[in-house]
Every structure is written in structure tokens, then in C-alpha cells.
Amino acid sequence: MSKISKELAKEAKKKGICESWYKELQTIEDKREMIAMYLKGIDFCLMNDYPSNDYIRLNFKDIINEFGIYLDDNFNICNIKKCILLGFTKGYIEINNFNVSEIFVKNESILNITAKNNSFVMIDVFDNSKITVKAQDNAKVCINKYGNAIVDIIKNDLAIIKIIEKNKKTY
């Protein structure tokens, strides 16, 4: 077992990870496989601030962007399937045509997003982050709002934006 997988497994155990995921995490040696597991268990990770942004910065910062994870970054992308904004990230995302996207915005991140044509976007927004969503054409956007997150919307008559106020800090 690598030093990183050992540290991650120990911390996950403290945070209440299930036994099967704990055992699986202990066996992973490759950083990219660890990131794939992070994405697969994103709800547990975001709910528990696991691993911490400092840990991600120290051990994974060199490769997270290729997985759609941004930490203290600035970016501009189009039609990403899954995206996670952490720390003080500032980004712009456009989703168009018939593309589907799942986006998570956490900490102090700021996101501007344009959804157009027949796209469908799911966004979970947490903490003190801020998103501005512009929806046009037949786009559909569903936003789950947690904590003190700020959501601004701009839309035309055909677009649908649904904001679900969760009235709690996290999942």
C-alpha cells in the first residue's frame, strides 16, 4: 500500500466511509485510480471535505485538471461531463447542443455557466460559493443550493431553471 492510499484510507475511516470502500481504497496504488474513486464517491467526499483541499493541493494538483477537478484555478471550458470547483476557483463553462453536465461548486469558488440549445445541467452549489447561470433556448438546469451559496439566474422564456433550496450545509 502506498503512503498516500494509507493516509487516505485512515482519514476516510475517521469520516465514516463504508467498509467495502475502505478496503478498496487501501489497495489502490495509482493516483489516477484514486481520483476516479474520488469522482465515484463525490457525495461522501464533498460532504466530509475529504480529502482536504490542502491534501489535494499537495498530492494531486499536478493531475486533477485532466479529470475536471479545479482547485484554486481559473478556467474556461465547453461541454464537460463532470466538473468540480474547489477552493478559490473561478471558471466559465458552456454546455450546448444535447450535452449533459454535472457540476459541483464548493468553498469560495465562482462559476459563470451558460446552458443553451437542448443541454441539461445539474449543479450542486455549497458553502460560500457563487454561481451565475445563463440559460437560453431549450436548456434545462437544476440547481441544488446548500449553505450560504449564492445563485443568480438569467434565462429566456424557453429555458427552465429549477433551484432547490436544501436549507442545510451539505448532503
Side-chain angles (χ1 to χ4, degrees), residues 2-168:
S2 76
K3 177 184 177 229
I4 293 173
S5 63
K6 189 177 203 175
E7 290 171 349
L8 286 173
K10 182 180 176 183
E11 185 63 24
K13 188 75 162 175
K14 286 182 195 174
K15 303 242 182 213
I17 198 168
C18 70
E19 193 63 28
S20 64
W21 278 59
Y22 173 71
K23 287 179 181 174
E24 183 179 344
L25 185 56
Q26 287 181 309
T27 65
I28 297 174
E29 297 290 330
D30 181 72
K31 284 180 161 185
R32 285 176 170 73
E33 287 181 39
M34 291 175 198
I35 293 172
M37 191 171 185
Y38 174 85
L39 292 170
K40 190 174 168 186
I42 194 67
D43 54 342
F44 172 84
C45 295
L46 295 179
M47 183 171 59
N48 291 289
D49 292 318
Y50 168 83
S52 71
N53 288 346
D54 288 339
Y55 195 87
I56 294 169
R57 192 177 295 108
L58 182 65
N59 294 285
F60 297 95
K61 184 72 168 129
D62 57 333
I63 59 173
I64 57 174
N65 294 75
E66 62 190 77
F67 292 87
I69 303 168
Y70 297 90
L71 172 60
D72 302 331
D73 277 318
N74 292 303
F75 70 89
N76 184 331
I77 52 177
C78 187
N79 293 329
I80 190 165
K81 293 196 180 307
K82 188 175 242 179
C83 187
I84 296 108
L85 286 72
L86 301 170
F88 293 93
T89 296
K90 291 182 182 176
Y92 173 77
I93 299 174
E94 179 179 308
I95 307 298
N96 59 37
N97 298 326
F98 287 90
N99 286 288
V100 175
S101 184
E102 185 178 26
I103 300 168
F104 303 88
V105 186
K106 194 158 170 60
N107 307 123
E108 308 291 327
S109 295
I110 299 170
L111 175 65
N112 289 300
I113 181 165
T114 299
K116 59 186 182 179
N117 309 116
N118 291 289
S119 62
F120 178 74
V121 183
M122 283 288 308
I123 305 170
D124 286 2
V125 58
F126 304 89
D127 306 323
N128 297 309
S129 56
K130 179 179 179 182
I131 63 170
T132 301
V133 178
K134 180 179 179 184
Q136 55 196 55
D137 309 317
N138 291 314
K140 292 175 181 56
V141 180
C142 182
I143 303 163
N144 295 308
K145 182 179 171 293
Y146 297 88
N148 297 317
I150 297 170
V151 176
D152 293 323
I153 60 170
I154 304 161
K155 71 178 205 75
N156 70 8
D157 289 340
L158 297 175
I160 297 171
I161 298 177
K162 181 177 182 179
I163 301 172
I164 302 168
E165 295 276 351
K166 295 296 187 171
N167 297 314
K168 55 186 180 177

